[in-house]
Amino acid sequence: MKRLVIISGGGALGAFGAGTLAALNHDYTTVAGISTGALMSPLVALNRWDLLKEAYTSVTDKDVFDTKWWKPKPFKKNGKLNKKAVIFSLLAGTETLATSHSMRKLIDKFLTEEDFKRIKAFEKELIVAAQNINESPSRIHYFSSKNTGFENYKDWMWCSANAPFFTSLVRKEWTDVDGKKYIGEWTDGGLSELLILQENLFKFADEVDIIVHRVKPTPVKQRGFVKDIVHNLERTVDAMRYDIEFEDGILYDKLQQISNEKQIKINVYWLPFKLTDNSLQFSKKEMLKWWEMGFATAFDENRIDRIVPVVMDNTYKQTSNEEKHVNSIINPNYGSTS
């Protein structure tokens, strides 16, 4: 059976999703990831769970953000935005609050050329997404391990994982469909897409797992006021992208359509509850705890949505009992005639 896994972004929360994947222990033919999902994709494809655990429970802020004695860190120890970093960035005229060449070196540490060759030899595929903001209109690009060299692919992983405003804005050459070359400015693929849901991604899949480093969407009329600029940025990105995708069940409708057309089962794994206010703070202690929680709750049906194909004919829709149960959970108005 050919199994596909799609992994969302989420920074340090990737430790939770990685723990879940380790517990599931599936052999995936294709791994598609954005941001932190891109970073873990090679080790997920190879079932290197011990190494994946090391990667997500041993890193600190210093392994992600470049440190200079004269440059303020982007965040304080309590996870709050360091206002000194903002002032420094404005005065110095830097593009972002911090840079992340340390993260690029971390990719070198955990992805070897031998492992990259093994992925290709096993006829597996990795797909990552990065956003080019030097293109108008700005759009997301997808990069596959099947037609990308080792060093280039690591660069695209890095591009995909660079959070807007807080880490490096990477300038890297890309080629369009006509073979023309341009210099792009690349940032987190999660800027415009929660998940990679390209139609051709599902072409040969028999079953799909989706790891979402967010809690299930539930309507909240008043969820509290913005705390700081980081919180403001998160809310703004949500308003531009996530809230639109979740509004009126758009994401679920899209997944149901894919399930129907491809006749495949889709399993969506959510966070059971909110874990942190700042997913860009990397704490060994917290990430180890999240890994263990993700591992322990991997089979908890309360955090899983299972989407199954709907049988159609010319006159009516026949729905399985399993799908009725799932739809009643993810959409309280399911079955309503109003």
Side-chain angles (χ1 to χ4, degrees):
M1 182 176 75
K2 292 186 177 181
R3 200 172 190 116
L4 158 71
V5 63
I6 301 170
I7 311 169
S8 82
L13 295 174
F16 194 101
T20 293
L21 287 166
L24 295 176
N25 194 27
H26 293 312
D27 184 20
Y28 294 108
T29 305
T30 305
V31 184
I34 288 178
S35 197
T36 196
L39 294 179
M40 71 175 75
S41 61
L43 299 182
V44 171
L46 292 170
N47 293 68
R48 299 285 303 273
W49 308 123
D50 288 344
L51 190 58
L52 186 63
K53 183 176 182 179
E54 178 187 342
Y56 272 88
T57 60
S58 65
V59 300
T60 66
D61 289 345
K62 292 181 180 180
D63 297 304
V64 177
F65 302 106
D66 300 336
T67 56
K68 305 288 185 181
W69 66 267
W70 43 266
K71 188 174 183 179
K73 297 178 181 178
F75 300 107
K76 299 178 181 178
K77 290 183 178 180
N78 62 3
K80 300 293 184 181
L81 181 69
N82 187 351
K83 295 178 182 177
K84 291 180 180 179
V86 177
I87 295 171
F88 177 88
S89 181
L90 291 172
L91 293 176
T94 60
E95 298 169 343
T96 56
L97 291 184
T99 54
S100 61
H101 294 89
S102 295
M103 179 168 59
R104 181 61 179 81
K105 293 177 182 178
L106 198 65
I107 294 172
D108 287 336
K109 176 181 177 181
F110 285 101
L111 177 57
T112 66
E113 188 168 10
E114 181 182 355
D115 278 345
F116 190 71
K117 288 179 179 178
R118 287 176 61 205
I119 290 169
K120 291 193 172 188
F122 294 156
E123 296 185 345
K124 297 190 173 190
E125 183 177 17
L126 309 176
I127 300 172
V128 298
Q131 186 86 18
N132 181 13
I133 65 171
N134 195 31
E135 186 177 6
S136 182
S138 173
R139 70 182 184 92
I140 197 164
H141 292 249
Y142 306 94
F143 303 95
S144 169
S145 59
K146 286 191 172 182
N147 52 27
T148 307
F150 177 56
E151 292 297 332
N152 263 336
Y153 191 77
K154 288 191 294 181
D155 280 344
W156 294 126
M157 288 171 60
W158 180 41
C159 290
S160 179
N162 272 299
F165 305 110
F166 297 105
T167 53
S168 295
L169 188 60
V170 182
R171 292 179 181 175
K172 182 173 174 61
E173 185 179 85
W174 64 283
T175 307
D176 70 3
V177 292
D178 297 322
K180 295 181 179 179
K181 297 184 182 298
Y182 302 90
I183 301 297
E185 283 187 311
W186 303 91
T187 189
D188 194 332
L191 183 63
S192 62
E193 286 191 5
L194 173 64
L195 301 162
I196 298 177
L197 296 176
Q198 287 179 293
E199 184 177 350
N200 61 357
L201 192 62
F202 302 87
K203 189 173 182 180
F204 301 109
D206 298 307
E207 189 162 348
V208 180
D209 293 330
I210 297 179
I211 305 296
V212 187
H213 297 111
R214 294 174 63 88
V215 296
K216 288 185 184 182
T218 54
V220 179
K221 298 299 182 183
Q222 184 172 314
R223 54 179 174 173
F225 297 111
V226 168
K227 300 174 182 177
D228 53 37
I229 194 170
V230 178
H231 197 199
N232 192 350
L233 176 62
E234 289 176 348
R235 288 275 180 93
T236 302
V237 172
D238 280 356
M240 292 188 298
R241 175 168 51 89
Y242 294 133
D243 290 349
I244 294 172
E245 290 185 354
F246 291 144
E247 183 181 10
D248 297 327
I250 290 176
L251 176 62
Y252 287 113
D253 288 345
K254 186 184 297 184
L255 294 178
Q256 187 66 68
Q257 181 181 357
I258 292 170
S259 177
N260 293 346
E261 291 179 354
K262 306 300 181 183
Q263 288 295 292
I264 54 177
K265 182 177 180 181
I266 300 176
N267 311 298
V268 186
Y269 296 81
W270 301 90
L271 296 181
F273 50 84
K274 187 174 182 179
L275 299 176
T276 180
D277 287 327
N278 184 0
S279 62
L280 293 179
Q281 187 177 28
F282 298 86
S283 162
K284 291 182 181 180
K285 181 180 178 181
E286 289 299 307
M287 292 175 74
L288 176 59
K289 182 171 69 175
W290 296 341
W291 169 284
E292 292 172 345
M293 289 173 59
F295 191 95
T297 62
F299 300 97
D300 181 356
E301 290 296 324
N302 292 318
R303 56 172 290 227
I304 307 170
D305 287 330
R306 302 195 187 275
I307 301 171
V308 297
V310 173
V311 179
M312 304 286 291
D313 66 18
N314 294 329
T315 57
Y316 67 94
K317 181 173 82 171
Q318 181 182 359
T319 308
S320 70
N321 288 332
E322 181 180 2
E323 191 211 351
K324 287 179 181 178
H325 172 67
V326 169
N327 281 337
S328 66
I329 294 174
I330 64 180
N331 184 359
N333 297 319
Y334 177 76
S336 172
T337 58
S338 59

